[in-house]
Amino acid sequence: MQRIIGQDKENKKIVNIVFFAFVIRLLVLIFILTIGQKLSEPYFIADDIKYDDSAKFYLKYAKDVFDRDVLNAVTEGYYEPFWPSFMCITSAFFGTVYAARFFNILFSTLCVKVIYDIVNIISNNIKTSLRAAKLFAFLPVTILTSCFPIKDIFLTLTVFFTFYVFLKIQNGKKVTIANIILLVIGLVCTFYTRGAVVEMLILFFVICYVHKFIKEKKYGIAFIIGIVSLLLFAMFYDNIMAAFDTKISDYGGESKDAGNIAYLNINSIFDIYKLPFTYMFANLQPIRINFFSFSNERLWYNLITLLNVSIYPVAISSFLYIFCKKNNFIFWFLGFVMYSSVIILSLGVFRHYLFLLPFGIINCSLWLDEDEIKTKNKGFILFLCSFLLFAAILAYSVFKNYTTNTF
């Protein structure tokens, strides 16, 4: 009876977190689209403007909600047409180009629950799960970015829902018909949203099943899955490689031309020692190196980077978790591989790995998953390291501002 009452209390806590996460995002969105428009255009990055322009064009020329000819004209030139199509159709259905922003705050709110469920499976600790949910729910970067029409919020939801299903399979939990339907729909939409992501997730599914059957000593089934997967890979090799080649040709030079962060690039096997630091840098994104360089032309981007000092403890703890015993090594390893693949390809473009931010939040919560005394000690370490990082960036900002004004 006490256990049931306890579960009810914890369920109420996550419901409250999800509710307030949605309300805060909604209020921020309303502010950006009303008072905020007097301060700056309601855009975060260049993709926002492009997607909004597509939706405006569709609203102007589409004869009904789904006008194939106009939609084809709008999405022509996109490698992955799902998100611009989604922007256009929702804009036509609701009669406003801002419709997709509302869906983004809904997707971001759903991510709170998905992250809670993931950490709950991994840690079997409600307190740790609630910590992860709160971080994603209330960090400024997750709140603000969800108010803009970028496709990364949708990607975050589909990718981490996929990992949620991975974990259910790995831990022998029931995968419902609803889970399967949502998974298939999510993967299909993701395939037409961001290249090479689904191919990587399918590979992870194979690894997940092989690991599960090896753990259960069902070596024959694991061997068959491995052989069938290799045959399928050989059959679709050209298509799979084409997806990766497109990304490499389009974005492979982004990091190399990204100024000082080029030192963190991994250009060969001999640079692999940089990976933990590159990983931490990616977790800090979007980072503000100069606190005094601020302009109203990019108000929302500047505000997000300025408030993102709040991500310092998350990035530092995620970095430290690399060197600790893992609660679930397979999950951590797959997440690390996925993160590393993206940041090696395009470290200089943070929006390419923005959808992977929950990995840092999950790792932070798991790193703190200890008894109360150890958690307090780790909390102090995080505070100290975050303060030192902030002090270093502040000192650089002062120096940069002084030298610029003086010379």
Side-chain angles (χ1 to χ4, degrees):
M1 187 66 178
Q2 288 181 337
R3 185 178 178 182
I4 294 173
I5 293 172
Q7 285 180 339
D8 287 341
K9 287 183 178 179
E10 301 308 333
N11 289 337
K12 187 176 180 180
K13 286 181 181 179
I14 186 58
V15 168
N16 287 338
I17 292 170
V18 170
F19 173 75
F20 284 112
F22 177 77
V23 170
I24 290 171
R25 283 158 172 74
L26 183 60
L27 292 175
V28 172
L29 176 60
I30 292 171
F31 176 83
I32 290 172
L33 297 180
T34 53
I35 298 172
Q37 292 221 53
K38 298 177 182 178
L39 304 174
S40 180
E41 290 187 327
Y43 301 116
F44 166 44
I45 54 177
D47 285 357
D48 296 11
I49 302 172
K50 183 172 63 173
Y51 291 137
D52 260 13
D53 287 345
S54 297
K56 289 174 183 176
F57 180 88
Y58 190 80
L59 269 176
K60 184 176 180 179
Y61 294 104
K63 296 176 182 177
D64 49 43
V65 172
F66 185 80
D67 188 319
R68 183 183 293 275
D69 293 333
V70 179
L71 196 61
N72 288 339
V74 169
T75 58
E76 186 179 0
Y78 283 98
Y79 288 120
E80 296 94 13
F82 171 75
W83 189 251
S85 299
F86 181 82
M87 284 277 302
C88 292
I89 293 170
T90 54
S91 296
F93 185 83
F94 292 99
T96 173
V97 294
Y98 299 134
R101 297 179 188 237
F102 175 82
F103 279 98
N104 261 354
I105 67 171
L106 183 61
F107 295 150
S108 182
T109 303
L110 291 173
C111 285
V112 176
K113 181 61 166 65
V114 171
I115 290 167
Y116 170 84
D117 289 335
I118 286 174
V119 178
N120 200 22
I121 293 175
I122 295 173
S123 68
N124 196 29
N125 186 315
I126 297 295
K127 188 175 180 180
T128 304
S129 308
L130 290 171
R131 181 188 298 121
K134 287 175 184 176
L135 282 171
F136 189 86
F138 304 124
L139 276 171
V141 66
T142 59
I143 293 171
L144 285 165
T145 54
S146 69
C147 297
F148 298 93
I150 54 176
K151 62 185 178 182
D152 306 86
I153 312 302
F154 173 76
L155 277 173
T156 303
L157 179 60
T158 57
V159 167
F160 282 89
F161 182 77
T162 303
F163 274 103
Y164 167 64
V165 176
F166 285 170
L167 289 167
K168 291 188 80 172
I169 293 168
Q170 183 195 43
N171 289 271
K173 295 182 179 293
K174 184 180 178 181
V175 178
T176 65
I177 298 296
N179 289 157
I180 295 171
I181 293 171
L182 290 172
L183 178 66
V184 172
I185 293 172
L187 289 176
V188 171
C189 293
T190 301
F191 183 79
Y192 292 103
T193 303
R194 177 68 59 82
V197 171
V198 171
E199 291 86 345
M200 191 174 290
L201 289 173
I202 290 172
L203 174 62
F204 291 171
F205 255 121
V206 173
I207 294 172
C208 179
Y209 266 108
V210 169
H211 175 263
K212 178 179 184 293
F213 288 123
I214 289 176
K215 192 176 179 181
E216 295 173 355
K217 297 183 179 181
K218 297 178 181 178
Y219 303 112
I221 299 176
F223 178 76
I224 291 171
I225 291 175
I227 294 298
V228 170
S229 300
L230 288 173
L231 289 173
L232 289 172
F233 177 79
M235 288 173 60
F236 295 101
Y237 176 82
D238 291 338
N239 293 332
I240 293 171
M241 289 300 103
F244 285 97
D245 287 343
T246 297
K247 286 299 175 188
I248 292 170
S249 62
D250 285 354
Y251 303 119
E254 298 276 7
S255 298
K256 295 178 182 178
D257 301 326
N260 292 332
I261 68 167
Y263 293 112
L264 292 172
N265 283 344
I266 298 173
N267 300 314
S268 71
I269 191 67
F270 300 106
D271 291 334
I272 201 70
Y273 71 92
K274 299 178 185 177
L275 191 54
F277 305 101
T278 305
Y279 176 72
M280 178 178 168
F281 179 82
N283 272 275
L284 285 166
Q285 296 301 308
I287 189 171
R288 190 162 197 80
I289 301 299
N290 188 345
F291 290 135
F292 304 116
S293 175
F294 200 89
S295 103
N296 282 341
E297 292 179 6
R298 302 185 69 194
L299 175 64
W300 302 115
Y301 174 80
N302 286 322
L303 183 61
I304 289 170
T305 57
L306 194 61
L307 293 177
N308 209 33
V309 295
S310 57
I311 207 71
Y312 292 178
V314 173
I316 292 167
S317 56
S318 186
F319 170 78
L320 294 173
Y321 190 62
I322 294 173
F323 310 102
C324 298
K325 182 180 179 181
K326 311 297 184 293
N327 298 62
N328 186 316
F329 180 79
I330 290 293
F331 173 81
W332 176 85
F333 177 74
L334 296 181
F336 189 78
V337 167
M338 193 170 197
Y339 222 130
S340 301
S341 301
V342 180
I343 61 179
I344 288 172
L345 182 62
S346 53
L347 179 63
V349 189
F350 84 90
R351 71 179 184 276
H352 290 173
Y353 45 87
L354 179 64
F355 73 102
L356 298 175
L357 176 62
F359 279 125
I361 290 172
I362 291 168
N363 292 337
C364 170
S365 298
L366 294 174
W367 184 74
L368 290 168
D369 184 16
E370 297 280 0
D371 60 69
E372 190 172 348
I373 295 175
K374 287 185 178 180
T375 298
K376 286 182 178 179
N377 291 338
K378 287 183 175 181
F380 175 75
I381 292 171
L382 282 185
F383 171 78
L384 180 62
C385 292
S386 300
F387 176 78
L388 291 174
L389 178 59
F390 176 79
I393 295 176
L394 180 61
Y396 172 81
S397 301
V398 172
F399 172 77
K400 189 76 173 175
N401 193 57
Y402 173 77
T403 54
T404 300
N405 291 334
T406 303
F407 303 103

